[in-house]
Structures are given as C-alpha cells and as structure tokens.
Amino acid sequence: MDNMSRKLPIGIQTFEKLREGNHVYVDKTAFIWKIASTETPYFLSRPRRFGKSLLLSTFEAYFEGKKELFEGLAIAGLEKEWNEYPVLHLDLNAEKYDSPRKLNDILSNNLTRWEAEYGKGEDEPTLSLRFSGVIRRASERAGRGVVVLVDEYDKPLLQTLGNDALLEDYRQTLKAFYGVLKSSDRYLRFVFLTGVTKFAQVSVFSDLNQLNDISMKPQYATICGITRQELEATFAPELERLAEANRLTREDALDKMEALYDGYHFCEFSEGVFNPFSVLNVFDGYKFSNYWFQTGTPTFLVELLKKSDYDLRVLLDGLEAPSSSFAEYRVDANNPIPLIYQSGYLTIKGYDAEFGNYLLEFPNDEVRYGFMNFLVPFYTSVPDEDKGFYIGKFVQELRVGKVDDFMSRLQAFFADFPYELNTKTERHYQVVFYLVFKLMGQFTDAEVKSAVGRADAVVKTPKYIYVFEFKLNGTAEEALQQIDDKKYLLPYQADGRELVKVGVEFSAAERNIGKWIY
C-alpha cells in the first residue's frame, strides 16, 4: 500500500471492520493475550475517545476465535489454541439517558437479543434475573464459560449528574444488574468493564471484590493511547507528510505533536501516551487543531466546579493529592477532582514517593488552552465566539506598548458579570486575571503569581517586560509602590528589554477595574 492510500481508522471502533478494511492499526494485542490468559474480572478507566471501545472489540474478536483477523500481529505468535466462547457485549455509549425508561430499554434490548440466541427463562421478570439466566444458558450450551464485555458502564451515571433522583434510580438499576457478575461467577470465563469514571457507590466495585482495577497499574499504562515509539513506527509516512505540509522538520513536527497531544500518564513513572483521536485527525488533514477537546464540552465539570466553589487557580496551576482523592468519584463528597482527572482534563505529572502524593496537571496544550478557553464565558461577559479575538488583541497590544488599550480591554472582561458571580468572593475576580494571563501564555511568555514575593503577573514580549500588581480595595498608587518596595523588577534588570510596571486598583463596589498607573 502506498503512503497516499493508507487508511486511517477515524471513527472505527470495531476491530473486525478495522482489520478487514486494511486500516492502519497500532498493535495492542500483546496486552489482549496477557489479560485474557487470566480469568480475573477487569476494570479500566480511561478518558473518552481513548480507544476503550476498540479495545473491547478486540477482546470480542479474540474470544470468538477469529484467528484470521490477528495475522501479522503480536498475539499471532502467542496464542496457540484460539478457542471460541459465547460473548455478551454490552455497549452503553450510544443512548441519551434522560429518563428511567432509557436505561431499562437499552438493557432490555440487549437481553432480548441474547435471549433470541440462548433462550429465555420462564420465570425471569427482572433485568438482573434475565441477565443471570442468559449467562447460565449460554455457558451450558457452549460447555464453556461466558465472556462479558461492558463498554462505558458509567455513561448513564455521568449523564445524570445533577439530577439526584434519576441518578439514584440508575444507580439502583445498575447495582442489581452488575451484581449478577458476582453471583454468576461459575458460568463466566472472562469479564472486562470500561468507563470514564470509577463511581465508588456502584456495587460493581463493592460487590465484585475480585475485580482487578488496572487503571493505575504500570504494566497496563499504555494499553490505550499511543506511545512516542508507536507513533514513529506506525505513522512514519504520515509524520513526513505532516512536517512537509506545515513547513517543519520531522523533529519539529514531532515536538509540536508532543506539546499538543502527548503527556497523558495513568500511573506514577509511566511512559506518556498521545491522545489517539487527535493523532488520527492530525494525520487525516495535516493540520494542528484541538480535535479531542472539540468533541465534547465539559459543561458538567464546570457546573461541578461552581457547585463545589473550587478554587480554579489551584486547578490551573496543578495540584498535589493522594490517589484516594482522585481515583474514585463519590457523588456526595463535593470533590470535582476525580471526574476532572478521570475525564482526561488532568493527568499525573509527578509523584512524591515519601508522602504518596501525585502532582496532577493538564496533560498538554490542547487540553490546557481548550479548557481555559471553555471557562471564559462562564466567568466573564465575553461571548464564546469572541474569546480568541480578545486574547489575541491582549498580546498584540502589549507587544507594541499599548498599556491603556490593554487595560481598557481587560475591563470588558469584568463588565456585566453573571449575576450568580456578583455575590461571590474576590476569588472569582482573581480567577479572571488568571484566565487572561494563562491564555496569553499560548502566544507569549506570560505568567501569574505562583510564589510569595512575586508580582501578580509578568508578561514578556520581544521589546517589553511588564510587571503587574493588582489591588482589591487598594489604590493603583499602592500597587505601584509595592512593585518598588518588593523589588519585583530586580530579576529582569539585566535583561535588556524595556521594563514597564503597572499598578491596578480593582473596585469591589463596581466589580471592575478602576484606575491604573504605569
């Protein structure tokens, strides 16, 4: 196959279709063989569009004995028997869960399909009894254990966050349904469940005490996603075309891909992986863009952040936490970090072995700037379609020394604050400063205060270095004096660029920037 006719598996989540269509495939079958050689039930949490559905489809093809699909892959040299097992594959990803009936319907629909093949019991009035009956009859007919694969087990729960009554209804339904996997253990050969989030209260984790959660185990850290080695080996022709199309060297193209799409770490000290969805889309059109972030807006995460009154500045700078505070999500804990981490907006970037704390940060620039851009309309009056224009103008104005224009534009970010934010503390106004300067960081060297003895913000352009100090319930003169008293300019005296100090006062009464001096 020549380079121009290589087929990328964009949107393909079925292993059989991928292989029969001769699409490019990153070989993960050594993981399949290793995991399938045991009979332990498994659980894997990974962000959306990270290859979980394709992984389960690969297990399905393997357990159905479709040896021909695996020719030329790693598993072909490992598996000798290729036995066939009955496979029950439940995919909860497609439905919109907005009423109790929706979950019941999709579970019943799958059960009806399985009952058409393995028979229906006479006295099985509930979903869980029907599921138990299907597993038993399938095993007895095949003379082997049954394979159960559940894709996106938590989709109904994620879609009902904020609707406590419906969430509880779904939780009870799934608790009984997944509980069958423990009571039917004698009839099961293999169980694998995937999802975005590990909900602590769902009985699949409390009842299935033998469940092997491999989400943070180092030997499975790269089971989903693409390592740099896999990227270079599998997509060599696409990398060359990408570099050529963007007038970059091959190494520069790789570096840009790393900055945008790499950096996911699912346990301490593990190799990082690229987001597969973004990688495939970059190679499809040879344009760098925020592909993964644009496929699903994290509105429910923003609502959780607002509800919990979480300090966004901590999130934007990165935070340290033990695994117990982000590995499982508890609806009643008022802690949004597990959902933010498990949804892929934060990842592991460091580990303190002495205290057992993990450093969680944005994985890459696609997520970092995508997330911050998404926050702007929730915390300011700037419409979603105008936020890029505003940030670009901020940078342009400081590059040419137009401090007054910059400050006037900054005022617009505070005009007509949403009512619910008007009654909040000064933290919400500080968050806006954080968002502005952090977003400027994608175009220029901008930073906001992260340590004692630093100015509130520093922006470096080719010609100028700006040092900002903001005062809430203070004066611009006092802010300017603090820059002098604390010697905030001292680290930049030998730089050679023109130094500009800017003192700004913020009026709590007017909820906006008042006076500034520079």
Side-chain angles (χ1 to χ4, degrees):
M1 183 187 297
D2 62 78
N3 294 348
M4 294 295 291
S5 61
R6 280 165 55 96
K7 297 161 68 175
L8 299 173
I10 296 176
I12 296 179
Q13 300 180 341
T14 305
F15 182 74
E16 184 171 2
K17 183 178 180 181
L18 183 150
R19 294 293 287 170
E20 289 181 343
N22 200 24
H23 291 82
V24 178
Y25 175 63
V26 178
D27 191 354
K28 301 287 185 178
T29 59
F31 286 111
I32 299 294
W33 185 82
K34 179 181 179 180
I35 292 172
S37 65
T38 72
E39 297 190 358
T40 304
Y42 286 86
F43 170 73
L44 176 69
S45 167
R46 285 294 183 269
R48 59 186 171 79
R49 297 188 180 272
F50 235 85
K52 300 189 298 294
S53 296
L54 179 60
L55 181 70
L56 284 195
S57 179
T58 310
F59 274 116
E60 182 175 17
Y62 168 77
F63 278 111
E64 288 178 344
K66 296 179 178 179
K67 179 180 178 180
E68 69 282 1
L69 296 178
F70 296 88
E71 289 181 6
L73 300 179
I75 200 172
L78 298 170
E79 181 58 55
K80 306 302 180 187
E81 297 181 0
W82 295 100
N83 293 321
E84 184 177 349
Y85 299 85
V87 178
L88 306 180
H89 188 168
L90 174 63
D91 183 0
L92 296 181
N93 195 40
E95 187 59 80
K96 182 179 180 181
Y97 299 97
D98 53 10
S99 71
R101 181 178 58 82
K102 292 294 182 67
L103 179 57
N104 286 349
D105 285 352
I106 196 168
L107 293 178
S108 182
N109 180 268
N110 278 274
L111 288 166
T112 299
R113 179 164 52 85
W114 297 333
E115 288 165 343
E117 183 171 358
Y118 299 112
K120 180 174 175 57
E122 294 183 1
D123 188 19
E124 296 172 354
T126 66
L127 294 171
S128 54
L129 284 173
R130 290 172 66 190
F131 190 28
S132 179
V134 164
I135 291 173
R136 176 177 51 80
R137 288 188 294 274
S139 175
E140 290 172 347
R141 175 183 298 185
R144 299 178 183 274
V146 174
V147 173
V148 176
L149 307 172
V150 181
D151 195 8
E152 304 287 9
Y153 92 97
D154 56 342
K155 188 69 175 286
L157 304 176
L158 284 174
Q159 287 198 354
T160 52
L161 288 175
N163 185 339
D164 293 343
L166 189 55
L167 179 65
E168 179 59 21
D169 186 285
Y170 283 174
R171 193 183 73 82
Q172 292 294 342
T173 299
L174 293 176
K175 179 178 181 179
F177 194 82
Y178 293 139
V180 169
L181 298 175
K182 181 176 182 178
S183 59
S184 300
D185 181 64
R186 75 179 76 176
Y187 302 111
L188 294 171
R189 160 64 179 86
F190 183 77
V191 174
F192 200 108
L193 298 94
T194 72
V196 170
T197 303
K198 184 175 180 180
F199 279 84
Q201 296 99 324
V202 180
S203 69
V204 68
F205 301 113
S206 56
D207 289 351
L208 280 181
N209 49 18
Q210 76 274 36
L211 192 71
N212 185 7
D213 182 358
I214 61 174
S215 305
M216 292 182 65
K217 293 192 173 180
Q219 63 267 42
Y220 304 107
T222 61
I223 191 172
C224 290
I226 301 172
T227 67
R228 176 162 177 145
Q229 182 180 359
E230 290 170 336
L231 182 75
E232 295 190 71
T234 308
F235 298 100
E238 286 76 17
L239 271 171
E240 295 295 339
R241 288 287 310 281
L242 178 67
E244 180 184 342
N246 290 273
R247 298 179 181 179
L248 300 170
T249 67
R250 183 178 179 278
E251 283 305 309
D252 286 343
L254 263 173
D255 289 344
K256 188 162 185 176
M257 287 197 70
E258 278 195 341
L260 282 169
Y261 312 122
D262 193 12
Y264 292 89
H265 299 265
F266 298 107
C267 68
E268 60 272 28
F269 313 128
S270 70
E271 183 178 5
V273 292
F274 288 77
N275 183 313
F277 183 81
S278 292
V279 166
L280 291 176
N281 278 277
V282 163
F283 288 147
D284 184 51
Y286 300 106
K287 291 183 178 180
F288 295 102
S289 186
N290 296 335
Y291 296 103
W292 177 81
F293 196 90
Q294 292 170 355
T295 61
T297 55
T299 305
F300 73 98
L301 294 181
V302 175
E303 294 302 323
L304 279 174
L305 285 167
K306 291 165 66 175
K307 182 179 179 181
S308 67
D309 197 29
Y310 194 85
D311 189 347
L312 269 176
R313 293 171 299 168
V314 175
L315 181 64
L316 299 182
D317 278 340
L319 63 143
E320 289 191 1
S323 63
S324 58
S325 70
F326 65 86
E328 291 186 342
Y329 177 67
R330 298 182 180 275
V331 176
D332 57 353
N334 200 29
N335 175 19
I337 296 304
L339 271 184
I340 296 173
Y341 165 76
Q342 293 167 12
S343 298
Y345 298 101
L346 291 175
T347 195
I348 296 169
K349 290 292 189 179
Y351 180 66
D352 186 330
E354 181 180 3
F355 298 103
N357 285 333
Y358 293 80
L359 175 62
L360 304 182
E361 293 180 342
F362 293 118
N364 50 48
D365 284 350
E366 176 185 17
V367 179
R368 177 180 296 105
Y369 295 118
F371 193 85
M372 287 192 289
N373 268 305
F374 182 75
L375 290 174
V376 168
F378 289 89
Y379 284 84
T380 78
S381 63
V382 176
D384 185 69
E385 62 272 14
D386 291 341
K387 61 196 176 191
F389 170 80
Y390 268 80
I391 298 301
K393 283 293 185 181
F394 279 137
V395 175
Q396 291 170 356
E397 287 156 356
L398 290 186
R399 281 175 180 168
V400 296
K402 294 183 177 180
V403 179
D404 288 324
D405 290 350
F406 172 87
M407 293 304 304
S408 296
R409 191 174 303 280
L410 191 58
Q411 281 181 316
F413 263 63
F414 291 95
D416 301 321
F417 257 39
Y419 173 78
E420 63 271 18
L421 295 184
N422 282 342
T423 58
K424 299 283 186 176
T425 66
E426 71 175 90
R427 179 197 302 167
H428 289 80
Y429 305 107
Q430 293 167 336
V431 164
V432 177
F433 288 121
Y434 251 63
L435 284 174
V436 170
F437 286 101
K438 289 283 189 180
L439 283 169
M440 287 171 60
Q442 63 192 303
F443 305 111
T444 190
D445 188 356
E447 58 185 35
V448 285
K449 182 167 62 178
S450 58
V452 177
R454 297 270 303 276
D456 283 334
V458 176
V459 180
K460 301 176 183 178
T461 68
K463 188 175 179 181
Y464 303 96
I465 295 179
Y466 297 90
V467 176
F468 291 85
E469 185 65 29
F470 297 91
K471 283 292 184 184
L472 182 70
N473 298 323
T475 67
E477 288 82 2
E478 290 171 344
L480 214 58
Q481 188 62 47
Q482 182 170 324
I483 294 175
D484 291 336
D485 292 344
K486 299 288 187 180
K487 295 181 172 56
Y488 291 155
L489 295 181
L490 190 60
Y492 315 108
Q493 293 287 355
D495 185 276
R497 283 174 280 189
E498 186 173 340
L499 304 183
V500 182
K501 52 187 177 182
V502 187
V504 185
E505 64 184 58
F506 189 93
S507 170
E510 296 181 7
R511 301 186 179 92
N512 208 324
I513 291 171
K515 181 180 177 183
W516 62 85
I517 305 173
Y518 63 95

